[in-house]
């Protein structure tokens, strides 16, 4: 804190400087001026918080200095120290914001009391100023977000549209009156991995950079805002200029972004729509245009009318579920790489791939892996739930031009499979134990009536899960395993010529001799009597 002492008598200034307990009140610097003119110069240069001034001085006197302070620096606390007990002087001090009027000679206690009061008052008001400044900064920082929220809510149909429009109008955010508006959507979310990593913890800076360039180019021909209700990151331009000029503007925007970020972004454009009634429809058109574009096409601007590849059937990663699972279960880098390459080669045959398909395939792979780990558990998530639960900043496999990056995509699949491999092997090992337990149970109880439902109840697992896991482990169904085990036992018993076939059927769990013979022939290719003759001929 700084204090300025103003008096035309040097010994008075020095006396005041000696009498005050400056350090006690946080004063770190004391300045001196011989008159009002010199005081004004020092105030402008050093900005003191407190001024102690005489009233009768040459050139600019104390009254003139108070008037100047009142007009130019009203926050400064003024203490008058004068040798004149003059009512008019006192009244002038009060009218112009002076805190106190002291008479010479100054007493130390009185001086320090007034100084303490002035310091306390300054600190209190300064705290208020800081608080107000902070609030203004917060308001200014929140204003762009508030505008983005209003626009996004209008597009998403959240709340009453009429009310949102009134708020936008009250904030002066609506574009100039025009019966038609064209919407462009800039796909910030379709960035490449390198740019994503650069701005991973500074997403706001990325949007701020692009938005500033867009605002400079719009020049009153529209507005730009961030779509907050879209997880994949979109910036929306509501353009009320000549529709044909929007493409040129977007090209200029891309050049400006390229100079700043060394990137160009893809944008979708709607056809002109009535504003504001059809604004949301125009946004959907523009958003669909950029998210349904062909990533194999080098163009950056995408129009709603371009229906280029709607007839191509969408590929499903789940069609390779078993190959991918076995590769991950093998733990072999070579097999995992081959499984990933199988999918990549399938996609390379396509004429088009859209960003929305890339996003869906990423979600599908996560869902498939989730299913592998949740097999046997109730309440597994479906594909749409898995997609909804994904991280908002999921990055597509695109290169720096927004095109398909095959190498990156294959690498991402391989990393996913390698990442789950150890867990899947561990889980499979655990699963193998209960499958072996089921097999042992069948071997102990093969003579009894055995059904899949009985086994499911015995082991507290679903029939579907047991059937799938048993088939994976033994290559046959549970019922086929039961049949084959019974037939193996029957083959041993058939070597005994004293046992009738009906008796053998009953001993291995079949109450019906005809059914036993049917099953036996299906497994061995001959009926029990033929088997007995062939294998007991030499006995």
């Amino acid at each position: 804190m700084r204090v300025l002492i103003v008096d035309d008598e040097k010994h008075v200034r020095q006396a005041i400087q000696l009498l005050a307990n400056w350090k006690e009140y946080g004063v770190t610097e004391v300045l001196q001026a011989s008159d009002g003119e010199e005081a004004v110069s020092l105030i402008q240069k050093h900005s003191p918080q407190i001024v102690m001034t005489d009233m009768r001085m040459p050139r600019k006197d104390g009254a003139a200095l108070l008037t100047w302070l009142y007009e130019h620096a009203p926050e400064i606390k003024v203490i008058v120290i004068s040798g004149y007990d003059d009512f008019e002087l006192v009244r002038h001090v009060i009218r112009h914001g002076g805190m106190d009027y002291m008479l010479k000679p100054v007493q130390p206690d009185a001086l320090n009391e007034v100084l303490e009061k002035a310091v306390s008052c300054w600190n209190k008001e300064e705290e208020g100023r800081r608080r107000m400044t902070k609030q203004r900064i917060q308001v200014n920082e929140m204003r762009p977000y508030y505008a983005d929220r209003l626009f996004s809510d209008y597009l998403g149909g959240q709340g009453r549209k009429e009310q949102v429009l009134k708020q936008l109008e009250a904030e002066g955010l609506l574009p100039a009156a025009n019966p038609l508006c064209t919407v462009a959507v800039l796909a910030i979310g379709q960035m490449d991995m390198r740019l994503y990593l650069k701005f991973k913890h500074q997403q706001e800076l990325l949007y701020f950079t692009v938005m500033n360039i867009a605002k400079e180019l719009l020049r009153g021909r529209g507005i730009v805002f961030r779509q907050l209700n879209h997880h994949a990151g979109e910036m929306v331009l509501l353009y009320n200029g000549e529709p044909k000029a929007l493409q040129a503007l977007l090209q200029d925007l891309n050049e400006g972004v390229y100079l700043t970020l060394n990137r160009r972004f893809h944008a979708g454009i709607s056809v002109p729509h009535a504003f504001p009634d059809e604004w949301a429809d125009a946004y959907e058109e523009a958003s669909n245009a950029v998210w349904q574009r062909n990533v194999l096409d080098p163009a950056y601007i995408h129009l709603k009318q371009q229906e280029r590849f709607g007839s191509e059937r969408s590929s499903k990663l789940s069609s390779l579920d078993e190959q991918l699972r076995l590769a991950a279960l093998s733990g072999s880098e070579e097999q995992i790489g081959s499984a990933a390459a199988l999918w990549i080669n399938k996609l390379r045959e396509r004429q088009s791939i859209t960003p929305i398909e890339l996003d869906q395939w990423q979600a599908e792979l996560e869902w498939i892996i989730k299913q592998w780990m949740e097999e046997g558990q109730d309440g597994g998530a479906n594909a749409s739930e898995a997609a909804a639960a994904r991280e908002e900043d999921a990055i597509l496999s695109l290169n720096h031009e927004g095109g398909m990056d095959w190498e990156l995509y294959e690498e991402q699949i391989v990393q996913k499979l390698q990442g789950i491999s150890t867990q899947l092997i561990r889980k499979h090992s655990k699963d193998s134990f209960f499958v072996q337990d089921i097999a042992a149970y069948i071997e102990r109880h093969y003579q009894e009536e055995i059904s899949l439902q009985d086994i499911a109840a015995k082991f507290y697992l679903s029939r579907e899960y047991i059937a799938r896991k048993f088939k994976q482990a033994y290559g046959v169904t549970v019922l086929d395993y039961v049949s084959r085990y019974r037939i193996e036992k029957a083959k041993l018993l058939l070597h005994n010529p004293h046992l009738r076939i009906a008796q053998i059927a009953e001993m291995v769990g079949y109450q019906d001799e005809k059914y036993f013979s049917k099953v036996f022939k299906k497994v061995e290719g001959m009926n029990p009597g033929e088997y007995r003759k062939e294998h007991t001929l030499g006995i």
Side-chain angles (χ1 to χ4, degrees), residues 187-426:
I188 305 297
Q190 295 181 25
M191 68 182 80
D192 62 280
M193 184 61 71
R194 183 175 296 179
L195 187 64
Y196 166 75
L197 293 174
K198 181 178 179 180
F199 288 95
K200 183 176 182 180
H201 302 295
Q202 295 178 305
Q203 291 287 300
E204 296 301 323
L205 178 59
L206 175 61
Y207 284 97
F208 177 79
T209 301
V210 179
M211 188 169 290
N212 275 354
I213 298 172
K215 286 180 178 179
E216 184 178 341
L217 291 171
L218 280 170
R219 297 173 185 169
R221 293 176 292 174
I223 52 177
V224 57
F225 61 93
R226 181 179 177 183
Q227 163 61 301
L228 299 177
N229 295 334
H230 198 293
H231 79 277
E234 292 181 343
M235 191 171 290
V236 182
L237 276 71
L238 181 58
Y239 186 73
N240 61 351
E242 177 62 32
K244 293 182 179 179
L246 181 55
Q247 288 194 48
L249 185 145
L250 289 173
Q251 289 172 355
D252 291 341
L253 172 59
N254 249 341
E255 292 309 310
V257 172
Y258 183 79
L259 290 174
T260 306
L261 302 174
N262 197 31
R263 293 294 188 282
R264 293 182 176 89
F265 290 102
H266 288 261
I269 304 178
S270 74
V271 297
H273 279 265
F275 177 81
D277 297 338
E278 299 177 2
W279 181 17
D281 295 333
Y283 161 72
E284 288 297 329
E285 287 180 8
S287 182
N288 287 338
V290 77
W291 283 96
Q292 293 178 2
R293 68 184 177 89
N294 187 357
V295 298
L296 306 179
D297 185 343
Y300 285 101
I301 309 300
H302 310 277
L303 305 180
K304 184 259 179 185
Q305 295 93 330
Q306 293 176 324
E307 303 291 346
R308 299 170 303 224
F309 40 83
S311 60
E312 188 165 21
R313 292 184 60 187
S314 179
S315 303
K316 293 291 184 182
L317 186 60
S318 55
S319 64
L320 300 177
D321 186 336
E322 188 65 11
Q323 293 96 318
L324 295 172
R325 188 188 69 82
L326 291 175
L329 193 55
S330 72
S332 165
E333 292 186 9
E334 183 178 352
Q335 289 193 42
I336 288 174
S338 296
L342 190 65
W343 171 246
I344 297 298
N345 292 335
K346 185 176 181 180
L347 293 186
R348 282 184 177 274
E349 298 175 357
R350 292 171 57 96
Q351 298 298 312
S352 66
I353 295 174
T354 68
I356 199 68
E357 284 179 315
L358 283 174
D359 189 58
Q360 289 170 349
W361 290 330
Q362 286 186 352
E364 191 178 9
L365 180 58
E366 292 174 13
W367 174 74
I368 288 171
I369 291 173
K370 186 178 179 68
Q371 292 298 102
W372 293 344
M373 297 307 298
E374 290 186 352
E375 281 184 329
Q377 302 178 19
D378 294 331
N382 58 37
S384 60
E385 290 173 343
R390 299 173 67 213
E391 292 185 2
E392 291 190 357
D393 57 358
I395 298 303
L396 304 181
S397 307
L398 300 174
N399 57 33
H400 68 282
E401 295 178 344
M404 186 67 190
D405 191 327
W406 294 108
E407 185 177 342
L408 173 62
Y409 186 41
E410 186 170 357
E411 182 182 330
Q412 288 175 335
I413 295 174
V414 169
Q415 287 178 349
K416 284 278 187 182
L417 295 179
Q418 288 177 338
I420 198 67
S421 179
T422 302
Q423 299 177 53
L424 196 60
I425 292 171
R426 189 182 300 119

Side-chain angles (χ1 to χ4, degrees), residues 140-196:
N140 289 334
E141 288 177 346
M142 288 299 295
R143 182 175 170 79
Y145 178 84
Y146 177 63
D148 292 346
R149 173 49 60 196
L150 286 176
F151 284 121
S152 299
D153 287 348
Y154 185 87
L155 291 180
Q158 298 180 12
R160 296 178 57 187
K161 287 189 174 182
E162 297 82 1
Q163 184 178 359
V164 177
L165 281 175
K166 286 182 180 179
Q167 289 178 286
L168 288 168
E169 187 174 6
E171 293 290 330
L173 297 172
L174 290 180
N178 191 322
L180 294 177
C181 277
T182 310
V183 169
V185 170
L186 199 65
I188 305 297
Q190 295 181 25
M191 68 182 80
D192 62 280
M193 184 61 71
R194 183 175 296 179
L195 187 64
Y196 166 75

Side-chain angles (χ1 to χ4, degrees), residues 27-167:
V27 177
T28 57
E29 187 175 2
V30 179
L31 307 170
Q32 294 186 19
S34 58
D35 56 44
E37 290 286 350
E38 186 180 359
V40 168
S41 178
L42 289 173
I43 290 169
Q44 292 174 332
K45 185 176 181 180
H46 297 284
S47 301
Q49 288 76 38
I50 298 173
V51 171
M52 296 181 171
T53 182
D54 189 11
M55 292 301 286
R56 304 292 189 189
M57 295 180 292
R59 298 200 297 173
K60 186 187 288 289
D61 63 9
L65 177 60
L66 259 70
T67 301
W68 184 90
L69 286 167
Y70 185 75
E71 293 176 356
H72 296 91
E75 72 281 359
I76 293 179
K77 300 303 160 191
V78 180
I79 300 170
V80 173
I81 303 175
S82 175
Y84 299 91
D85 187 4
D86 188 322
F87 175 74
E88 287 300 323
L89 292 177
V90 174
R91 186 169 67 173
H92 185 85
V93 170
I94 294 172
R95 283 181 175 177
H96 291 81
M99 283 198 64
D100 219 319
Y101 193 101
M102 300 180 65
L103 292 174
K104 298 175 181 178
V106 178
Q107 298 300 315
D109 291 344
L111 176 64
N112 284 296
E113 182 180 345
V114 171
L115 178 60
E116 181 182 12
K117 179 181 175 183
V119 169
S120 177
C121 186
W122 165 268
N123 287 335
K124 184 177 180 180
E125 291 182 3
E126 180 65 9
E127 178 60 31
R129 284 190 289 270
R130 287 198 189 98
R131 189 164 53 251
M132 289 298 294
T133 300
K134 185 177 181 180
Q135 290 174 351
R136 282 195 293 270
I137 292 173
Q138 290 175 339
V139 168
N140 289 334
E141 288 177 346
M142 288 299 295
R143 182 175 170 79
Y145 178 84
Y146 177 63
D148 292 346
R149 173 49 60 196
L150 286 176
F151 284 121
S152 299
D153 287 348
Y154 185 87
L155 291 180
Q158 298 180 12
R160 296 178 57 187
K161 287 189 174 182
E162 297 82 1
Q163 184 178 359
V164 177
L165 281 175
K166 286 182 180 179
Q167 289 178 286

